[in-house]
């Protein structure tokens, strides 16, 4: 077994270490979510925490870690006879992102349960993590069905496995710790709220601290045992402090003034629900115990707010986490300080102790350092909205002249500064026609492991979802030949049938956005960005991957490769300037190239192409690479004809498409409708994209695609 990196050797990251230690003192705090860029010692610190936890007493031989003093009466290995327990170190169990449901909750042998009436149960990771730590690296990439199981176990403190009337239950109380890189996507709000605390980590920008990170990492890799030995004394000191804080915790007094401060803080920041108040109270109590005090102070409440509230204030994935510390201080200053009662240490240091700060990220030489950014800060003032060209109501928009202002040398509109997006709105669902088999999500129909049962088939590999009626039907004709004499049904392995289910999948939603000069007329680009932002929010809720292509001037650009991070797409969209000619064909060919590459990377994830344009094509442009053999080129010719050929290339490959028509004004050319016909999909106006006026769009998407398939 490899020697873990010492917790006390982690450089900097004071908030991360404090949050983990508070959970070690009081597991009721509810766990930690660690957000930050790669290489910032997230996993290293979490994996090192288990060495600081006190040992636990368990019933000898119990696979579910029952406590000898209070064993679980429903334990599958029970009932347990009274007797002395066996001490063992607290476990840290890692949940892989790609784990199966059976690996998480345990596997029940359905064949033996049906044929023999025996509950043969193999415990899963939830049983292993009971009374320990359950660690999920890249928790934001965890499949939805596993997240649902984690939510149930975290809420009830128990895990239930139910298969066709056979039920097994066992206790599952654990400290949930997750790490994630926000660039790869956000968490579902339900799971986000289950984490008691959250911390933001970043690599230090101080050269001296970065040097110390590298020095310690190299020393650890050269001789892990010797390196850990040099920090053994500090590890023991922190371990003893955790034990002392746990012993002091029941004696810590949470006064009425502190409770009012907590309630006023949660109300002042408009936090939903009451979980935040409870977590803040437990965190403030743990902070006082960690500091060696028997009384909660205002600074404990303040620190608890900085750890417990930032992730609970987010209303959508585009909101940056954090708190306005000036507002927090203003709320807390409205309450007088409580007089300490029997305070043994009037001015403790609440930070974890150690000879120095240090640490790398796990397994690589690019270890992260300290340099913790503040947990919150004054909210940045809103930037003034850039004026859109030609805002005068007296200047009518010409269909061929997008903006009433001087043109550039090549006749195109000059580049305009990026404008702010209009307020997002709720959109109606767009879906890909047919039945897919992609990753679990909430957009298009697909064959999934969860959903409504639609049929049965012979199992491929291990049986997971039994179709009872089909199994009985397969076994019934053979009962006489098998010598059945009693009431029980004689079932063999060949009789078992796996249930086939239909649910929803997540798709790749690729946005192709026109950023040419024609989009700068009046405040059209602001409305366009608002519409795309609304679709991005919808993609976040439906667990899609998203990508962003923009085209203007003479070329198309992949502004954001396909990713699960919709907030990254929103950031790129917000910074998008406009101006120049309209290379529509280049944008479509760039989309063809991106989808071709993604099909090789993830063949099961079906794409949905959303083209946001007024349909004008004034430049042949280039897609950034040579078109494939037989495809529409962009090296010359009529721009509109090239755009049509490029669109028909996408249609020929069966790619579901929707055109969002951005044309406005009294005179309309209807070019977006022509483009939609070439793509084989519908066209919808910006106003028609809203949920209350989008009736029939999904039907139109399917009808157009089905018509194309029948014609092919």
């Amino acid at each position: 077994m490899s020697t873990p990196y010492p917790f006390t050797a982690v450089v900097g990251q004071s908030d991360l270490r404090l949050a983990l230690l508070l959970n070690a003192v009081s597991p009721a705090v509810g766990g930690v979510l660690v957000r930050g860029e790669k290489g910032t010692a997230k996993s290293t610190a979490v994996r090192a925490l288990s060495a600081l936890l006190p040992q636990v007493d368990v019933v000898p031989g119990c696979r579910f870690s029952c406590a000898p003093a209070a064993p679980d009466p429903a334990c599958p290995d029970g009932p347990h006879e009274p007797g002395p327990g066996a001490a063992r170190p607290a476990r840290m169990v890692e949940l892989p992102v790609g784990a199966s449901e059976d690996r998480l909750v345990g596997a029940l042998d359905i064949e033996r349960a049906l044929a023999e009436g025996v509950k043969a149960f193999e415990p899963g990771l939830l049983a292993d993590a009971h009374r320990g730590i359950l660690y999920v690296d890249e928790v934001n990439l965890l499949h939805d069905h596993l997240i649902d199981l984690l939510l149930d176990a975290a809420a009830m403190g128990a895990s239930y496995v139910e298969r066709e009337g056979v039920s097994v239950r066992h206790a599952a109380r654990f400290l949930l710790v997750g790490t994630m890189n926000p660039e790869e996507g956000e968490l579902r709000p339900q799971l986000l709220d289950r984490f008691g605390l959250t911390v933001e980590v970043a690599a230090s920008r101080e050269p001296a601290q970065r040097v110390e990170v590298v020095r310690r990492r190299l020393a650890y890799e050269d001789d892990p045992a010797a390196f850990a030995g040099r920090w053994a004394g500090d590890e023991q000191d922190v371990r003893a402090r955790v034990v002392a804080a746990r012993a002091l915790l029941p004696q810590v007094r949470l006064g009425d003034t502190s409770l009012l401060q907590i309630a006023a803080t949660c109300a002042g920041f408009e936090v939903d629900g009451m979980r935040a108040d409870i977590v803040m109270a437990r965190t403030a109590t743990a902070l006082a115990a960690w500091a060696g005090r028997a009384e909660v102070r205002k600074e404990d409440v303040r620190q608890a707010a900085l750890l417990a509230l930032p992730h609970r204030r987010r209303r959508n994935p585009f909101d940056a986490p954090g708190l306005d510390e000036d507002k927090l201080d203003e709320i807390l200053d409205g309450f007088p300080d409580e007089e300490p009662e029997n305070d043994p240490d009037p001015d403790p240091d609440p930070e974890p102790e150690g000879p120095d700060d240090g640490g790398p990220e796990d397994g690589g030489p690019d270890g992260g350092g300290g340099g913790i950014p503040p947990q919150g800060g004054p909210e940045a003032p809103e930037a003034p909205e850039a004026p859109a060209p030609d805002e005068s109501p007296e200047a009518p928009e010409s269909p061929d002249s997008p903006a009433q202002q001087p043109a550039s040398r090549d006749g195109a509109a000059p580049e305009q500064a990026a404008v702010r997006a209009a307020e997002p709105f709720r959109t109606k669902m767009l879906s890909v026609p047919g039945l897919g088999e992609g990753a679990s999500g909430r957009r298009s129909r697909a064959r999934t492991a969860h959903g409504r049962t639609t049929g049965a088939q012979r199992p491929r590999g291990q049986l997971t979802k039994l179709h009872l009626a089909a199994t009985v039907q397969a076994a019934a004709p053979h009962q006489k030949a098998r010598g059945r004499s009693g009431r029980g049904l004689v079932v063999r392995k060949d009789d078992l049938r796996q249930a086939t289910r239909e649910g929803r999948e997540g798709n790749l939603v690729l946005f192709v956005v026109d950023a040419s000069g024609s989009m700068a007329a009046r405040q059209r680009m602001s409305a366009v960005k608002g519409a795309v932002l609304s679709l991005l929010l919808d993609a976040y809720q439906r667990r899609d991957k998203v990508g962003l292509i923009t085209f203007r001037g003479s070329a198309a650009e992949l502004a954001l490769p396909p990713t699960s991070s919709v907030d990254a797409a929103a950031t790129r969209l917000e910074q998008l300037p406009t101006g120049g000619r309209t290379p529509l064909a280049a944008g479509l060919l760039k989309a063809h190239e991106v989808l071709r590459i993604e099909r090789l990377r993830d063949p099961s994830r079906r794409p949905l192409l959303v083209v946001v344009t007024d349909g004008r094509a004034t430049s042949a442009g280039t897609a950034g690479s040579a078109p494939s053999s037989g495809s529409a080129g962009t090296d010359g010719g009529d721009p509109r004809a090239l755009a049509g050929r490029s669109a028909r290339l996408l249609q020929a490959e069966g790619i579901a498409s929707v055109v969002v028509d951005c044309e406005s004004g009294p005179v309309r050319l209807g070019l977006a409708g022509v483009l939609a016909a070439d793509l084989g999909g519908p066209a919808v106006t910006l106003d028609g994209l809203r949920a209350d006026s989008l009736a029939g769009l999904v039907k139109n998407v399917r009808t157009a695609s089905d018509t194309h398939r029948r014609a092919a």
Side-chain angles (χ1 to χ4, degrees), residues 85-241:
R88 64 160 175 79
R91 291 174 180 163
M92 192 196 73
V93 178
E94 293 196 40
L95 171 60
V97 170
S100 65
E101 178 180 338
D102 285 345
R103 184 71 186 97
L104 177 62
V105 300
L108 189 63
D109 192 329
I110 298 296
E111 184 178 1
R112 291 189 62 192
L114 288 176
E116 305 174 25
V118 176
K119 291 184 180 180
F121 182 71
E122 184 66 28
L125 296 177
L126 290 180
D128 293 342
H130 180 47
R131 303 177 67 197
I133 302 173
L134 181 63
Y135 171 49
V136 189
D137 194 12
E138 306 295 348
V139 64
N140 50 326
L141 303 182
L142 201 62
H143 290 298
D144 274 0
H145 68 283
L146 297 183
I147 288 179
D148 292 336
L149 294 170
L150 275 181
L151 289 175
D152 291 341
M156 297 183 294
S159 174
Y160 292 85
V161 182
E162 298 190 9
R163 302 278 176 83
E164 308 299 337
V166 180
S167 177
V168 174
R169 174 210 170 274
H170 64 83
R173 291 182 294 274
F174 47 83
L175 173 61
L176 182 61
V177 181
T179 55
M180 60 174 284
N181 185 345
E183 295 178 357
E184 297 174 339
E186 287 292 345
L187 275 176
R188 281 172 51 183
Q190 295 92 333
L191 183 58
L192 192 64
D193 190 51
R194 286 295 176 185
F195 286 98
L197 310 179
T198 184
V199 290
E200 297 278 337
V201 296
S204 172
R205 299 299 183 259
E206 293 293 331
Q209 200 170 53
R210 297 176 74 97
V211 167
E212 184 62 22
V213 170
V214 176
R215 180 181 293 116
R216 294 187 186 183
R217 183 69 204 189
L218 294 178
Y220 171 73
E221 291 179 349
D222 288 342
D223 192 342
F227 182 83
R230 291 198 294 272
W231 293 87
D234 301 290
E235 292 280 288
Q236 181 57 38
D237 291 343
V238 175
R239 189 180 300 110
R241 188 173 175 184

Side-chain angles (χ1 to χ4, degrees), residues 15 53 72 220 387 401 510 559 571 628 631 634 698:
D15 283 352
L53 297 180
D72 182 7
Y220 171 73
S401 179
L510 182 61
T571 301
S628 59
S631 67
T634 57
V698 175

Side-chain angles (χ1 to χ4, degrees), residues 207-279:
Q209 200 170 53
R210 297 176 74 97
V211 167
E212 184 62 22
V213 170
V214 176
R215 180 181 293 116
R216 294 187 186 183
R217 183 69 204 189
L218 294 178
Y220 171 73
E221 291 179 349
D222 288 342
D223 192 342
F227 182 83
R230 291 198 294 272
W231 293 87
D234 301 290
E235 292 280 288
Q236 181 57 38
D237 291 343
V238 175
R239 189 180 300 110
R241 188 173 175 184
V242 169
V243 173
R246 279 194 175 189
L248 178 61
L249 187 65
Q251 306 170 30
V252 175
R253 177 178 176 271
L254 182 65
D256 291 341
T257 299
S258 298
L259 284 172
L260 285 172
Q261 291 171 342
I262 291 170
T265 300
C266 293
F269 284 104
E270 300 179 355
V271 178
D272 295 335
M274 294 297 299
R275 182 173 285 115
D277 303 63
I278 297 171
V279 171

Side-chain angles (χ1 to χ4, degrees), residues 411-547:
E415 180 174 308
Q416 303 295 321
V419 299
R420 293 178 60 89
E423 192 69 21
F425 51 85
R426 188 172 65 89
T427 67
K428 195 66 175 288
M429 182 178 72
L430 310 177
S431 68
V432 178
L435 194 63
E437 296 182 349
S440 176
R442 299 182 178 180
R443 184 172 296 277
S444 304
R445 294 173 55 223
R447 297 184 185 91
T448 60
H450 301 270
R452 64 185 183 91
T453 300
T454 58
Q457 64 181 11
R458 292 182 181 273
R460 301 171 184 174
Q462 185 179 3
L463 178 71
T464 55
K465 297 292 183 181
L466 179 75
H467 195 296
L468 184 58
T471 299
V472 171
Q473 188 176 8
H478 308 290
Q479 296 305 296
K480 185 176 181 180
R482 294 173 184 174
R484 174 186 171 185
S485 58
R487 298 179 58 185
L489 190 68
V490 181
V491 179
R492 294 181 179 174
K493 189 171 184 179
D494 291 343
D495 301 327
L496 299 178
R497 295 295 183 267
Q498 175 86 21
T500 58
R501 299 174 182 263
E502 181 179 312
R504 294 279 174 178
E505 68 176 357
N507 298 110
L508 167 59
V509 183
L510 182 61
F511 294 93
V512 181
V513 180
D514 185 349
S516 63
S518 64
M519 303 299 290
R522 301 186 179 179
Q523 292 201 14
R524 183 189 297 175
M525 198 60 195
S526 177
V528 167
K529 286 186 176 182
V532 177
L533 202 63
S534 303
L535 291 168
L536 283 171
L537 183 58
D538 181 70
Y540 163 74
Q541 295 169 341
R542 302 191 187 282
R543 315 305 292 172
D544 294 315
K545 291 180 68 175
V546 296

